[in-house]
Amino acid sequence: MALQIDQIRAAAERVAASHHLEVVDITFQGAGKHRALAVYLEKDAEGRAKLVAAAKAGELEDLPSGVPVEALSGITHEDCEVFARDFGTLLDVEDLVPGAEYTLEVSSPGLERKLRGAADYERFAGGLVKVQTFEPVNSNRHWTGRMSFADGVVKLDLSAVKQKGKAKKASAGLDTVEIALSNVEKAQLVAEF
């Protein structure tokens, strides 16, 4: 029986929704006894809005300095624990992960989270990102810059960070680079402190 990641994602989304959470990503790696199913979660839109409001009202302590509250997932250890218990039970009952042994890991996506879909690019506009493209843009596939997003195009301000390697040569004379979202192979935020 093969692993059905779409069924696992659908089950994870059902459980997450019941706890006012959203599934950001799911990965399955390893083999034999060392298999791991990792689920990355964040608060749903309503929960994130409450987090932002509480931060603006000065009601929150221990927030990381220099990180916009909008970039935080709002996930707590308790959220991960409750989700893992309920989702683990569902995985076992529905036998969605074939084979006897695997580890279920549940966490936030972290400050250097992957970006997936237009909604993520819109939400994190203004953030520093690393982008890898399918096809080279100006003879380079790897870019880092401050992002804006509109009409399916990721625009990077290259002056926001010192370019390295091939990007340094490819960005000579450029202040910005535009990349079609369809050409983005992978992208992730870069933590700023």
Side-chain angles (χ1 to χ4, degrees):
M1 179 179 198
L3 183 74
Q4 300 294 322
I5 200 74
D6 291 337
Q7 288 179 327
I8 292 172
R9 178 178 290 282
E13 288 172 350
R14 285 194 321 265
V15 173
S18 71
H19 295 291
H20 302 286
L21 303 171
E22 289 180 2
V23 175
V24 174
D25 196 11
I26 294 179
T27 62
F28 189 76
Q29 298 176 343
K33 293 181 181 180
H34 304 288
R35 300 181 310 152
L37 176 64
V39 181
Y40 301 94
L41 302 169
E42 67 181 359
K43 294 283 189 188
D44 62 11
E46 181 181 331
R48 292 191 311 270
K50 287 179 183 177
L51 179 69
V52 169
K56 286 181 180 176
E59 299 170 358
L60 298 178
E61 297 177 14
D62 300 329
L63 288 177
S65 62
V67 178
V69 176
E70 295 81 6
L72 300 176
S73 65
I75 288 292
T76 65
H77 290 282
E78 292 79 17
D79 292 329
C80 292
E81 178 184 357
V82 169
F83 174 85
R85 183 184 59 238
D86 292 352
F87 184 54
T89 301
L90 181 65
L91 287 172
D92 292 343
V93 168
E94 294 187 8
D95 197 26
L96 293 175
V97 181
E101 294 187 34
Y102 68 95
T103 301
L104 175 60
E105 301 170 356
V106 179
S107 71
S108 79
L111 293 177
E112 294 196 339
R113 68 182 287 159
K114 293 178 183 176
L115 299 178
R116 300 190 183 283
D120 276 357
Y121 290 90
E122 290 168 2
R123 176 177 168 199
F124 295 108
L128 199 59
V129 297
K130 285 195 294 190
V131 176
Q132 180 177 326
T133 62
F134 289 110
E135 297 294 325
V137 175
N138 204 36
S139 304
N140 188 33
R141 291 185 53 230
H142 301 271
W143 296 97
T144 302
R146 189 149 320 275
M147 177 189 63
S148 60
F149 180 76
D151 300 322
V153 176
V154 177
K155 186 175 181 179
L156 298 178
D157 176 3
L158 303 176
S159 65
V161 65
K162 185 176 179 178
Q163 300 297 317
K164 300 175 185 173
K166 288 183 181 179
K168 184 175 183 178
K169 184 177 179 181
S171 66
L174 293 178
D175 292 331
T176 61
V177 65
E178 293 185 0
I179 303 168
L181 186 57
S182 60
N183 190 24
V184 174
E185 182 175 355
K186 58 184 176 179
Q188 72 180 66
L189 294 176
V190 175
E192 298 180 80
F193 296 99

